[in-house]
Amino acid sequence: MKSHDELVEIEHLSRLNEYGPDDLFICCASFEDRCVSSGLKMGIGFRVKYSVIFVIEEPFYKQQVDTNLFRLQSELTKRTSEGVFVIRCQRDDPVEGITQLKNIWPRCQPKDQDEPYITLDISGFTKIYLLELLHYLIAEQNLGIPRIIHTTQTYAPTKLTRGVMQITTVPNFFGTISFEKKTLLVIFLGFEPERSLTVWKHFNPARTIALITSPPRNGNLDYLEYAHKNNSHLISQPAVEVREVPPDDPYAVRNVLEDIYHEVRDSFNMIIGPFGTKPQTVGIFLFCLEHPKAQVVYSFPVNYTRSYLQRKPGCTLLLPLAPMIRP
């Protein structure tokens, strides 16, 4: 599998293995229409041995989730030669979802561990599930970075979630906390101000670096203005510094975090809150793979707003990757 260092917009998804079917395709059926985009863009020659569809239960949007699951199953059944697995799991229990993957792994794992052909569509996953899945594939199974694709969605100036149900440290990302050091919170901001602000209040950090996506996708300055306005209370607080981070380049995100880490590692514990884009969350994972002392925290929303249903799928991106990187 060749590496590339630039974003690529894809119209047709081809297989990785030029000599036969790919090993594995992993995706998630959510209530967002964009979760089926990759299946609809699979070219005539796309073939894969196994497909795994995660279904993160969302009672308020069960009809939309079930519809998208049916659409994904229909498309993947045409392309999958040996089996399509469906993993149903709870939103607030990613460990249980990954445990189900572990149970079927002996059946669907790549035969050649040194050169696996895996595509991961991150579009429908929640960020906590995405972190846990990457940890299992890369840190536990030592498979290297898979091909990662992501379908964006149209911009709308509305909040994505309401309320906060629970704050937790992400499993497998507990970090190493020293009581002799102060706390630095590095928080990726988006359109979920309650979740971000609740985490900030919970940890009461001595210092905060708020990362806002810039430049925005397609140069949309309205996005940038709304992101600042949406999080104005947090970024106006003392000891909160605002910096910029790109939306869709995981390695650039990793480098931003790397620079921060080298600034503060001798005097601060580093805690990261992933409330930006999903490609940024991939960048957080890459950073933590090299710096396991960092801790990642997450807040579960009470519910998702219906604004998600009004957003249309955007372009599908092939994220920059380097599959030879291993922990």
Side-chain angles (χ1 to χ4, degrees), residues 2 41 55 59 92 98 108 128 154-155 164 169 173 191 202 219 237 253 275 293 301 305 312:
K2 295 180 179 179
K41 290 184 177 181
V55 184
D92 59 352
I98 300 302
C108 65
I128 192 170
T154 56
Y155 163 75
V164 175
T169 301
F173 295 84
F191 294 170
H202 177 82
Q237 299 301 310
V253 172
F275 302 107
K293 289 185 177 181
T305 69
K312 304 300 181 183

Side-chain angles (χ1 to χ4, degrees), residues 130-164:
L130 179 55
L131 288 167
E132 290 302 295
L133 179 58
L134 289 170
H135 184 272
Y136 178 69
L137 295 174
I138 298 166
E140 294 187 38
Q141 295 302 314
N142 198 32
L143 289 175
I145 309 297
R147 175 170 67 172
I148 298 178
I149 58 176
H150 174 60
T151 299
T152 63
Q153 59 185 358
T154 56
Y155 163 75
T158 54
K159 293 181 180 179
L160 300 180
T161 58
R162 293 190 185 93
V164 175

Side-chain angles (χ1 to χ4, degrees), residues 131 167-170 173-175 177 183-189 199 203 209 211 253-254 256-258 260-261 269-276 280-281 283-289 291-299:
L131 288 167
I167 297 174
T168 186
T169 301
V170 177
F173 295 84
F174 295 107
I177 301 300
T183 296
L184 166 71
L185 176 64
V186 180
I187 193 159
F188 288 73
L189 299 181
V199 166
F203 286 95
I209 296 178
L211 296 175
V253 172
R254 173 213 166 271
V256 169
L257 292 173
E258 185 79 26
I260 294 171
Y261 176 77
N269 295 307
M270 188 168 174
I271 298 177
I272 304 171
F275 302 107
Q280 288 170 352
T281 304
I284 292 171
F285 170 79
L286 295 175
F287 170 78
C288 291
L289 195 63
H291 301 287
K293 289 185 177 181
Q295 183 179 98
V296 183
V297 298
Y298 190 80
S299 58

Side-chain angles (χ1 to χ4, degrees), residues 31-52:
F31 50 82
E32 299 176 272
D33 285 344
R34 63 173 170 169
C35 74
V36 303
S37 293
S38 60
L40 297 174
K41 290 184 177 181
M42 288 177 174
I44 296 176
F46 187 91
R47 292 291 184 271
V48 65
K49 294 177 182 177
Y50 295 98
S51 295
V52 177

Side-chain angles (χ1 to χ4, degrees), residues 1-6 145 251 318-325:
M1 186 162 37
K2 295 180 179 179
S3 63
H4 62 276
D5 56 9
E6 294 182 355
I145 309 297
Y251 287 99
L318 176 61
L319 302 187
L321 78 157
M324 71 291 296
I325 291 181

Side-chain angles (χ1 to χ4, degrees), residues 227-241:
H228 278 272
K229 181 180 178 181
N230 203 36
N231 296 282
S232 59
H233 181 68
L234 174 57
I235 62 181
S236 66
Q237 299 301 310
V240 175
E241 175 188 351

Side-chain angles (χ1 to χ4, degrees), residues 27-29 51-55 69 72-73 76 84-87:
C27 61
C28 181
S51 295
V52 177
I53 307 172
F54 280 78
V55 184
L69 171 60
L72 275 170
Q73 284 180 298
L76 291 175
V84 178
F85 296 95
V86 175
I87 294 177

